[in-house]
Amino acid sequence: MADLQDDPYDTDTDTTAAAGDLDGPQEDPSAGTVTTDTASLATPASSAERARVLLASHPVVDGHNSLAPTLLRRRGTSHGHDLEQGDTFLDTDMPRIKAGALGGQFWSVEADAEAVREGRAVGSTLELIDLVRDLISSYPESLRLALGAGDLADARNCGRVASLLGPASGPAMGDSLATLRAFHFLGVRALSLAGARWAEDGLSRFGHEVVREMNRLGVIIDLSGTSDETMRATFAVTKAPAMFSHSVARAVGEWPGDGGVPDDILTLLGANNGVCMVSFAAEQLTGERLAHDRFPGERLARDRIADDGKGPSLSDVADHVERVREVAGPECVGLSGTYGRESGTPHTVGLEDTSCYPLLITELLDRGWTDTAITDLTWGNAARVLRDTEFLARAAQQRRPPSTATIEELDDVRR
């Protein structure tokens, strides 16, 4: 993965960097009028070759990989998983990560529905954090822990996959801001509001305080899987950019209901300068939205996708990417393979594992995307959200101390 060191400060990237950014793009006085657009070259490259060159210097930052929850569920079985050597029973390993030019990964540490029901969400999250950190330390030549935007750039420059902890699940907070701060101390940099009782249909008073404390800490707010009311309420409160770690555009597809992010909320995302990481998950693209065994009936939904034999394709994902870009803006779209699952799980055709990102980039280039638009999609937009979140957190920490509010005081409910 040494080619990720090439041109780490390309000026096509991160055009919306925050004030105070320490690792933003640097102008090269020797560059003159050179441009990366293929139209200026004497011999135009194929889209596949352009994709390879762009990904070498601007690899993918992926919004959601559930390898850790999958490995935790399989603990105690006789089948281990060697991330470096590769294994066909999962869709994620280092050979395929390198083939896919993945440069940054949010590793999900979300407790599953059973752990939440049984009151084990906090403990399960701690186990997942420990598992991911152990993976990172076990493969130092491939992975590097990232606690912020500077670490993201440093990992890329030395050919490692920047590994961010998160999202964690809202219920794992245990309705405690102290627990949120403990997760941040352990390295968690994104928290999903989905499933938290203070964020069911909007935000309760305590939910407002959670969002403000996340802003103060520099923990990214993940809105994937939340209700429309919660999305709107969060955008009304947060000062920092929000993220959809793995979502699709509701306007694309043939199903009714809440199978993705509606256009009016994508517009709010654009005003917020956040990012929607478009999911590759087959069940989301087909409208089931029942990923990762967190929702009742997922197994039935998976069986329907498998029995139908007509799963979504790479082209469908490209349609969702273009819709998010059109409505939210080019600075607000990213990618989320939603990998980390067993190979028997239905996958989108053409995007079956972590080696397949270049195929999607090739498709978008064939549709007329510019090199700058691609580098924003793969790297620049996610890196900017990290930088903006950190910058605003530093400012917030000068204005207010850690919150001592409790859900009992604000919502008049018991933990």
Side-chain angles (χ1 to χ4, degrees):
M1 225 168 156
D3 59 354
L4 297 187
Q5 301 177 47
D6 297 342
D7 194 16
Y9 297 110
D10 190 300
T11 56
D12 284 343
T13 305
D14 299 342
T15 57
T16 56
D21 176 21
L22 300 180
D23 66 328
Q26 305 293 319
E27 292 292 341
D28 182 357
S30 65
T33 58
V34 175
T35 177
T36 58
D37 285 341
T38 309
S40 66
L41 302 180
T43 305
S46 68
S47 295
E49 176 62 17
R50 285 175 63 197
R52 188 195 69 78
V53 171
L54 290 170
L55 287 168
S57 57
H58 301 86
V60 172
V61 179
D62 183 276
H64 195 279
N65 186 296
S66 56
L67 178 65
T70 299
L71 293 179
L72 186 63
R73 285 197 300 271
R74 294 183 62 89
R75 272 187 176 172
T77 68
S78 59
H79 195 126
H81 180 60
D82 190 325
L83 190 68
E84 195 66 57
Q85 294 299 317
D87 199 321
T88 57
F89 98 94
L90 288 177
D91 57 21
T92 300
D93 53 44
M94 287 314 305
R96 285 178 283 186
I97 283 174
K98 291 176 181 178
L102 185 66
Q105 179 67 70
F106 281 88
W107 298 101
S108 170
V109 290
E110 293 175 281
D112 62 24
E114 182 179 359
V116 172
R117 285 194 303 270
E118 296 177 357
R120 297 184 293 104
V122 176
S124 179
T125 301
L126 292 174
E127 287 186 90
L128 290 166
I129 293 170
D130 185 67
L131 193 158
V132 174
R133 295 187 73 117
D134 182 61
L135 279 175
I136 295 168
S137 63
S138 297
Y139 302 101
E141 296 304 311
S142 299
L143 305 176
R144 176 172 290 190
L145 179 66
L147 299 177
D151 294 335
L152 188 74
D154 289 345
R156 175 182 67 172
N157 295 345
C158 68
R160 306 297 193 273
V161 177
S163 298
L164 295 127
L165 299 183
S169 58
M173 269 184 53
D175 300 330
S176 166
L177 295 176
T179 303
L180 171 64
R181 288 190 285 272
F183 284 161
H184 177 264
F185 179 79
L186 293 173
V188 172
R189 291 298 180 265
L191 180 89
S192 170
L193 304 192
R197 61 174 173 167
W198 37 264
E200 291 180 348
D201 291 302
L203 292 173
S204 70
R205 291 179 64 200
F206 182 73
H208 282 74
E209 193 69 5
V210 171
V211 168
R212 285 190 285 265
E213 187 67 6
M214 290 175 71
N215 285 176
R216 193 193 69 82
L217 289 169
V219 176
I220 297 173
I221 299 163
D222 177 16
L223 292 173
S224 285
T226 61
S227 68
D228 292 1
E229 292 79 8
T230 299
M231 297 175 195
R232 294 189 184 97
T234 300
F235 285 125
V237 176
T238 183
K239 303 299 183 184
M243 174 176 74
F244 290 88
S245 68
H246 58 301
S247 290
V248 295
R250 188 179 301 176
V252 180
E254 301 178 354
W255 64 93
D258 61 347
V261 187
D263 281 357
D264 68 304
I265 290 175
L266 288 176
T267 300
L268 294 175
L269 179 71
N272 168 259
N273 291 319
V275 64
C276 179
M277 315 293 272
V278 176
S279 174
F280 300 178
E283 65 272 12
Q284 288 182 277
L285 293 162
T286 54
E288 298 292 351
R289 203 168 67 88
L290 299 171
H292 312 308
D293 289 321
R294 290 183 295 149
F295 300 94
E298 186 208 355
R299 189 166 301 280
L300 177 60
R302 271 207 310 257
D303 291 343
R304 284 201 298 269
I305 295 170
D307 292 342
D308 181 73
K310 297 179 181 179
S313 69
L314 179 153
S315 179
D316 295 318
V317 174
D319 290 343
H320 283 268
V321 170
E322 293 200 311
R323 182 67 179 193
V324 172
R325 184 175 187 268
E326 175 188 352
V327 179
E331 70 283 358
C332 297
V333 61
L335 300 177
S336 183
T338 55
Y339 295 122
R341 298 185 287 176
E342 297 185 24
S343 56
T345 303
H347 288 75
T348 296
V349 176
L351 296 170
E352 289 84 1
D353 58 51
T354 50
S355 70
C356 296
Y357 300 101
L359 301 178
L360 178 60
I361 302 309
T362 300
E363 168 74 12
L364 294 172
L365 288 169
D366 284 339
R367 294 185 180 206
W369 281 50
T370 66
D371 292 2
T372 299
I374 292 295
T375 58
D376 284 346
L377 171 74
T378 58
W379 180 271
N381 294 339
R384 174 190 54 77
V385 166
L386 277 168
R387 284 199 307 274
D388 287 358
T389 300
E390 290 177 33
F391 176 72
L392 292 165
R394 288 195 295 269
Q397 287 163 16
Q398 296 175 7
R399 294 194 305 268
R400 57 175 288 181
S403 174
T404 59
T406 67
I407 194 169
E408 292 90 345
E409 295 169 343
L410 297 182
D411 292 351
D412 194 25
V413 296
R414 297 181 61 184
R415 271 187 272 187

